[in-house]
Amino acid sequence: MMRVIKIITAMEKETIKNKVFEIIKSRLFYKDTPLTIESKLEDDLWMDSLDEVEILMELEKEFGILIPDDDLGRCHTVKDVVDYMIRRMEE
């Protein structure tokens, strides 16, 4: 069976990135915490595993996809989350 891969445009990637930032920003305990693409979820943003699960659940809802439980804990930075979501949207 042939697998079809969806091509994500630069604009769609930017939209995904912006939505990831928006969702993560909404979950920050300290609202004035600087949020960058290189921010580490635990060390810089003070997020624990429950916060990460809640973010991924929100991303599932926003993008209409399912994130396998095995994928939880693989994202350590905001960039990891953005890259993960872009890969998932290309599937």
Side-chain angles (χ1 to χ4, degrees):
M1 183 190 298
M2 191 166 80
R3 182 177 167 174
V4 176
I5 297 176
K6 181 181 176 190
I7 303 298
I8 302 289
T9 67
M11 183 177 279
E12 289 170 322
K13 288 179 182 180
E14 189 66 21
T15 300
I16 292 168
K17 176 185 159 204
N18 290 340
K19 186 49 80 172
V20 168
F21 267 73
E22 179 183 316
I23 289 170
I24 290 175
K25 188 79 171 166
S26 74
R27 298 286 180 177
L28 292 177
F29 184 74
Y30 299 106
K31 298 300 180 192
D32 60 342
T33 302
L35 180 61
T36 69
I37 195 74
E38 298 301 326
S39 295
K40 295 177 184 164
L41 299 177
E42 290 182 18
D43 297 339
D44 300 331
L45 305 179
W46 301 84
M47 294 189 164
D48 60 18
S49 58
L50 180 58
D51 293 317
E52 292 172 27
V53 167
E54 290 174 346
I55 287 168
L56 293 178
M57 288 172 54
E58 186 70 24
L59 289 167
E60 282 182 324
K61 189 167 102 176
E62 179 66 33
F63 292 102
I65 63 169
L66 292 175
I67 297 173
D69 291 343
D70 293 347
D71 288 354
L72 298 177
R74 291 187 181 186
C75 297
H76 304 287
T77 66
V78 173
K79 183 177 184 329
D80 293 341
V81 177
V82 171
D83 291 345
Y84 176 82
M85 291 307 300
I86 289 170
R87 278 193 313 275
R88 288 305 312 269
M89 296 304 294
E90 288 177 330
E91 293 179 353

